[in-house]
Amino acid sequence: MGRTTGSGERRTTHRTHRWRRALLATVITGAVVVPLSGAARAEIPAPAPAALAPLSVATLDETYEANRANAAEASRMAAAHGNRDRAAADRAMADPSRRFLAFDGRGLGLATEVFGDLAHADRIAVLVPGSDTSIDTYDRFRDTARALHDRLTREAPQGTRTAVVAWLGYETPGTVSTTVATMGRADDAAPKLREFIRQLRALTIDERTGATRAAGEAGASGEAGEAGARRASGAGEGRPRISLLCHSYGSVVCARAVSDLDVDDIALVGSPGTGVDTAAGLGTRARVWAARGTDDWVGEVPHVRLDLLGTTVGFGTDPISPSFGARVFAAGDGGHSDYFRPGSTSLANLACIVLGETSEVTHG
């Protein structure tokens, strides 16, 4: 018995050392590759973000228009600089149909785009992306938001209004880089996400307060006035339900932001870990969900936290493990980029989570 145990311990130790060596090699490679590739990339000129009035229902259209104009100017500047790809990406964002709460064409670029009627939505999903998401790769992120919005529009009960926000509000790490395995980018992003959710809450409360007041003034003592007030307050809830859907490194960002944050659900998909050992450690009253497709390479990433030369590398406990304590849902056989693929099991379950139809969620 003792001999077998010792052999098993040696094998476990060997595997641990092998994972540590592989992880360290990745970090060292990133430390060499990232500075060289970054130095070779010429900075693309762009204007400073548009000066915007405080976000409110009354200023939404003004905000959308100002950010489209800023994207158009960014496109002109990128074209003059000779960067056709960035000029085309910025030009697409300046299209009259696009609605951005924020746009910054400088550097890798930042953008926050709205799908649906945000001011009147009863259910709002905020998507937080992972690594290698920028203006240059933004179409992939936008496709996920559109796929979710299309699904919510089809599946929402009659009278339930939905909106999706694609929040590229932070500089995401490169997939092959030192930053993708550390908390640095998430620590920088978390206050920005918290502030955005605060603004989103203020916006929707502003709309409902005004609409409820108007309904009451139209006939608060009558049946029509009472019905209008109920509709304005979100079918009796008085506030829209907000879900954070966090992909890959975005789940690390969400984990750093959610403590006491006013959201209702948090879904971690394709997560490398969160930096805490349990869902309770996130410090949130929201329901915490997690999923991983069977073909997602993140499943092969060691869920450890190591101290390497004074820097903590890795994010610890696997969010789909029983010890973490999240509500694990099925994600099918998809890969790392397939969670929002139309027709997928994961997209169906994410839509159920956003709509609050938790009994319809299938479990992994």
Side-chain angles (χ1 to χ4, degrees):
M1 179 72 71
R3 184 183 181 88
T4 302
T5 301
S7 176
E9 288 176 348
R10 284 194 297 273
R11 285 196 298 270
T12 300
T13 301
H14 178 69
R15 285 196 298 269
T16 300
H17 289 331
R18 189 168 65 244
W19 277 120
R20 289 187 178 186
R21 286 196 300 273
L23 197 59
L24 181 58
T26 299
V27 172
I28 293 172
T29 301
V32 175
V33 172
V34 173
L36 290 177
S37 62
R41 181 190 177 103
E43 190 71 17
I44 301 170
L52 303 173
L55 187 62
S56 69
V57 174
T59 63
L60 264 182
D61 288 341
E62 176 186 331
T63 296
Y64 295 153
E65 183 177 353
N67 284 318
R68 287 193 297 265
N70 192 267
E73 178 61 19
S75 177
R76 287 189 288 270
M77 293 177 70
H81 188 67
N83 193 306
R84 295 179 180 179
D85 291 340
R86 174 58 71 86
D90 290 337
R91 186 165 56 252
M93 291 178 159
D95 187 90
S97 65
R98 308 290 287 271
R99 294 179 293 179
F100 289 95
L101 294 174
F103 175 82
D104 185 350
R106 299 172 300 179
L108 295 175
L110 304 173
T112 301
E113 187 168 11
V114 174
F115 302 83
D117 185 355
L118 183 62
H120 302 93
D122 305 305
R123 302 277 177 171
I124 300 171
V126 177
L127 274 56
V128 181
S131 61
D132 286 327
T133 308
S134 66
I135 285 183
D136 296 319
T137 63
Y138 182 78
D139 281 350
R140 296 182 310 193
F141 184 41
R142 183 172 189 255
D143 286 345
T144 67
R146 293 176 65 186
L148 177 62
H149 184 246
D150 288 347
R151 180 88 189 201
L152 292 173
T153 301
R154 290 197 307 271
E155 301 293 333
Q158 186 174 2
T160 298
R161 297 160 294 190
T162 63
V164 174
V165 179
W167 186 79
L168 176 55
Y170 77 110
E171 184 177 340
T172 66
T175 299
V176 181
S177 69
T178 53
T179 52
V180 79
T182 62
M183 287 288 188
R185 293 289 172 89
D187 287 339
D188 291 342
K192 301 173 185 177
L193 180 56
R194 290 181 64 86
E195 174 60 16
F196 175 71
I197 296 298
R198 187 197 66 76
Q199 292 179 355
L200 190 58
R201 278 289 180 211
L203 171 73
T204 54
I205 290 172
D206 171 46
E207 188 281 328
R208 278 159 172 73
T209 301
T212 303
R213 186 184 304 116
E217 291 172 354
S221 60
E223 184 176 335
E226 293 174 4
R230 283 196 300 273
R231 285 194 299 273
S233 64
E237 294 182 357
R239 57 190 284 282
R241 297 186 69 85
I242 296 177
S243 299
L244 278 180
L245 308 186
C246 318
H247 177 243
S248 192
Y249 189 87
S251 65
V252 186
V253 174
C254 289
R256 302 300 275 184
V258 296
S259 178
D260 295 322
L261 193 63
D262 190 7
V263 296
D264 300 281
D265 289 276
I266 302 160
L268 313 172
V269 293
S271 175
T274 61
V276 298
D277 294 328
T278 65
L282 295 172
T284 178
R285 290 171 292 180
R287 290 174 295 210
V288 179
W289 306 80
R292 185 168 63 232
T294 56
D295 199 31
D296 188 342
W297 56 263
V298 165
E300 303 301 320
V301 173
H303 287 88
V304 297
R305 280 199 300 274
L306 304 174
D307 184 6
L308 297 176
L309 306 176
T311 299
T312 300
V313 177
F315 305 111
T317 308
D318 187 346
I320 70 167
S321 67
S323 63
F324 188 77
R327 304 180 184 214
V328 179
F329 63 95
D333 59 0
H336 192 62
S337 300
D338 295 332
Y339 292 97
F340 295 86
R341 189 182 68 233
S344 64
T345 299
S346 54
L347 181 60
N349 280 327
L350 287 167
C352 287
I353 290 169
V354 174
L355 293 172
E357 298 172 348
T358 57
S359 63
E360 301 299 316
V361 176
T362 59
H363 297 277

